[in-house]
Amino acid sequence: MNPLVLFFLSFFFINSMSSKVEQSKKTSAHISVMGLVYCDICSNNSFSRHSYFLPGAEVRIDCKFKASWPKTREQISFSVNRTTNRYGMYKLEIPSVDGIACAQAAIDSSCEASLMSSSSKACNVPGYKSTTNEIAIKVKQQNLCIYSLNALNFRPSKTDAGLCGNRKP
C-alpha cells in the first residue's frame, strides 16, 4: 500500500482520537493499533485502481509492549480478533495503561496482524497473510500512541484478464 495513503489515514485517525483522549498529568497511555484489509483484484500485492477495501474481514492482532522506566520494567501482551469496518479498517483501542507513558518512555513494542477470514466469497485467497511492519505515531501532549500496521490483502481465486491483463497470481 502507498505509504502516503497510510500516512493520511493515520493523520485523520489521530485527529479523531485526540478529541476523545482527556489530557491528564497521570502516566496513563492511550494506545491504538490499526490497519487495513483490501481485495487485490489483480493479485499483484498492491492496491490498484481495481482494488477495494474489504469490510467484514476477520483479523487477529498479537501485541507486546515492554516499558522501561528507571525504577520498573513492565510487559503487556495480548491477542484479540477484530473485524474490519465498512472502510476495511480494523483497530484495537486500549483506553489507558497505567504506568506507561508510551509517547515519552522507551517502549519496545511489537504487533502482528494476521488474516483469519474474508467476508467475500469472490475475494478470499490470502495475499499478504500477516504483517509486523508498523508506523508508530506518538503524541506526547496526550500520551497517545498509534501503531499503524501495513495493509493485508485477500485476492480472488482467478484474476480477471480483462481488468488486469495476462498476469498470473
Side-chain angles (χ1 to χ4, degrees), residues 62-82:
D62 298 302
C63 290
K64 288 182 184 178
F65 295 98
K66 294 178 185 176
S68 297
W69 286 93
K71 296 181 181 180
T72 184
R73 292 195 189 291
E74 295 183 13
Q75 178 174 317
I76 300 168
S77 300
F78 55 86
S79 295
V80 296
N81 290 350
R82 289 291 181 259

Side-chain angles (χ1 to χ4, degrees), residues 106-137:
I107 290 190
D108 179 21
S109 66
S110 65
C111 287
E112 178 179 9
S114 305
L115 293 175
M116 301 292 287
S117 65
S118 174
S119 59
S120 170
K121 290 182 181 179
C123 190
N124 62 3
V125 176
Y128 283 134
K129 297 179 193 179
S130 66
T131 183
T132 56
N133 294 335
E134 63 187 37
I135 296 173
I137 301 166

Side-chain angles (χ1 to χ4, degrees), residues 130-148:
S130 66
T131 183
T132 56
N133 294 335
E134 63 187 37
I135 296 173
I137 301 166
K138 299 178 179 188
V139 181
K140 288 184 181 180
Q141 294 168 329
Q142 297 165 337
N143 202 17
L144 170 66
C145 294
I146 298 172
Y147 297 91
S148 180

Side-chain angles (χ1 to χ4, degrees), residues 7-165:
F7 173 77
F8 282 115
L9 287 172
S10 298
F11 175 76
F12 290 121
F13 182 72
I14 288 172
N15 284 342
S16 70
M17 291 302 299
S18 64
S19 63
K20 295 178 185 178
V21 178
E22 295 179 19
Q23 286 191 346
S24 126
K25 294 188 179 184
K26 294 181 183 178
T27 58
S28 292
H30 183 95
I31 300 172
S32 295
V33 180
M34 61 176 276
L36 298 166
V37 178
Y38 67 95
C39 180
D40 178 15
I41 292 293
C42 294
S43 300
N44 59 4
N45 285 329
S46 67
F47 194 88
S48 69
R49 65 180 177 190
H50 303 295
S51 300
Y52 57 91
F53 293 107
L54 198 57
E58 294 289 325
V59 177
R60 180 175 185 83
I61 304 168
D62 298 302
C63 290
K64 288 182 184 178
F65 295 98
K66 294 178 185 176
S68 297
W69 286 93
K71 296 181 181 180
T72 184
R73 292 195 189 291
E74 295 183 13
Q75 178 174 317
I76 300 168
S77 300
F78 55 86
S79 295
V80 296
N81 290 350
R82 289 291 181 259
T83 303
T84 57
N85 64 14
R86 64 182 175 163
Y87 304 110
M89 182 170 144
Y90 62 88
K91 63 182 170 180
L92 169 65
E93 295 183 40
I94 306 165
S96 69
V97 180
D98 291 336
I100 295 180
C102 69
Q104 297 156 349
I107 290 190
D108 179 21
S109 66
S110 65
C111 287
E112 178 179 9
S114 305
L115 293 175
M116 301 292 287
S117 65
S118 174
S119 59
S120 170
K121 290 182 181 179
C123 190
N124 62 3
V125 176
Y128 283 134
K129 297 179 193 179
S130 66
T131 183
T132 56
N133 294 335
E134 63 187 37
I135 296 173
I137 301 166
K138 299 178 179 188
V139 181
K140 288 184 181 180
Q141 294 168 329
Q142 297 165 337
N143 202 17
L144 170 66
C145 294
I146 298 172
Y147 297 91
S148 180
L149 298 170
N150 282 355
L152 300 170
N153 66 23
F154 285 98
R155 59 183 181 224
S157 58
K158 294 182 181 178
T159 303
D160 184 338
L163 286 176
C164 306

